[in-house]
Amino acid sequence: MSPQNFLDSGQKYRMTHQRQVILEEVQKVNTHPTADEVYEMVRKRLPRISLGTVYRNLEFLSTSGLIQKIGPPSNQMRFDGKTENHYHIRCVSCGKVEDAPVESLDNVERAMRSHSDYSILGHRLEFLGICPACRGKETSFHKNV
Amino acid sequence: MSPQNFLDSGQKYRMTHQRQVILEEVQKVNTHPTADEVYEMVRKRLPRISLGTVYRNLEFLSTSGLIQKIGPPSNQMRFDGKTENHYHIRCVSCGKVEDAPVESLDNVERAMRSHSDYSILGHRLEFLGICPACRGKETSFHKNV
DNA sequence: CTAGGTGCAAATCATTTGCCGGGGC
DNA sequence: GCCCCGGCAAATGATTTGCACCTAG
């Protein structure tokens, strides 16, 4: 990947200094920081950077595949009347959530119990995909991811 | 479970009309509605209900185990410098996120591909637990869950 | 010169909370 | 009467966006 034009899309994006620093800071730690924490880290090197820029660039970097977003696939909570443990699949295009036809991963959770020093309370598995209704409809993804 | 006192904790909580209606509406559908959607659904039966009440009762019902919260285990996004597919464990007490020592569930994703009519893009597996540092420290959970 | 980038502040969106009156037991 | 509750509106907290300037190509 060229330093200037690292995306193979047609657009020309620059790896600016701010972007570079944010990327380095996120890669440097293994604490999976929040946007605010990244802001604090970056601010030590770039005191005049703004929180908005950090958000913009974290979004940019994760869209580019250089870093990963963890957690909230959507920022809106959803509720489920079924209380048994089961999994979901979320359409990245329309944000719809349905149940996933997969049996419970009890063995995986059991493995975690022995490999980890955490007290394991449970786990959550979610698939991401495009639902039949959305497939073909859109070229780019909806914001609701 | 008695209709009035359905929690085995010492406290006495009532299954009020609003609570009952919210519970029924969430159980009635399989669309995993957002709080707003629940509000709209419930409003058809209780026009004067407020959004705040819906939020309060969804929280109450999920804490009671009568319904389930899906998605955002925390409402704050986190970022990861590692882009390879890997899993995480989140401490429900302090909100910290670490990598989970579990190999990739390629076979599960492959199974989903054949069982589902979604175009599968990927999956996310997250364990919930209490980290060694937090264990013993607290009796009740931090808000950061 | 044109477009992407940034800093800054204001706006948005989901969610939470304080207040206060009302009803169940 | 006491305490849980619900309606309402204001507060909060994370994230996004509009705007004006700036800078690389």
Side-chain angles (χ1 to χ4, degrees), chain A residues 26 56 92 120 133 137:
Chain A
V26 173
R56 264 189 297 240
V92 298
I120 307 294
K137 267 195 202 159

Side-chain angles (χ1 to χ4, degrees), chain A residues 11 26 44 56 62 80 87 104 109 114 120 124 130 132:
Chain A
Q11 282 300 70
V26 173
K44 295 196 180 111
R56 264 189 297 240
S62 64
D80 191 340
Y87 307 123
S104 190
E109 184 166 323
S114 45
I120 307 294
R124 176 199 320 283
I130 305 183

Side-chain angles (χ1 to χ4, degrees), chain B residues 47-95:
Chain B
R48 297 193 47 72
I49 201 171
S50 79
L51 184 55
T53 299
V54 171
Y55 270 105
R56 262 190 296 242
N57 282 325
L58 285 173
E59 179 62 30
F60 173 86
L61 290 169
S62 63
T63 301
S64 310
L66 295 175
I67 66 174
Q68 229 187 331
K69 262 191 199 167
I70 308 177
S74 148
N75 46 2
Q76 205 170 167
M77 192 75 76
R78 287 177 178 273
F79 300 87
D80 192 340
K82 277 205 294 267
T83 53
E84 321 90 67
N85 197 27
H86 65 282
Y87 307 123
H88 295 109
I89 178 163
R90 181 187 305 261
C91 176
V92 299
S93 180
C94 65

Side-chain angles (χ1 to χ4, degrees), chain A residues 4 14 35-36 51-52 55-56 143:
Chain A
Q4 297 304 326
R14 281 173 275 162
D36 253 316
L51 184 55
Y55 270 105
R56 264 189 297 240
K143 293 285 293 202

Side-chain angles (χ1 to χ4, degrees), chain B residues 5-23:
Chain B
N5 224 352
F6 56 91
L7 290 179
D8 38 13
S9 73
Q11 282 299 69
K12 54 267 166 234
Y13 291 112
R14 279 173 275 159
M15 177 52 88
T16 61
H17 189 44
Q18 283 89 332
R19 231 161 243 184
Q20 183 70 47
V21 170
I22 290 171
L23 176 58

Side-chain angles (χ1 to χ4, degrees), chain B residues 105-139:
Chain B
L105 297 174
D106 300 319
N107 51 334
V108 177
E109 185 167 323
R110 220 172 301 119
M112 261 305 273
R113 269 181 224 286
S114 46
H115 290 348
S116 170
D117 48 2
Y118 275 58
S119 306
I120 308 293
L121 297 174
H123 65 275
R124 174 198 321 282
L125 174 63
E126 183 173 275
F127 294 90
L128 302 175
I130 305 184
C131 72
C134 287
R135 196 181 311 135
K137 268 197 202 155
E138 316 195 30
T139 48

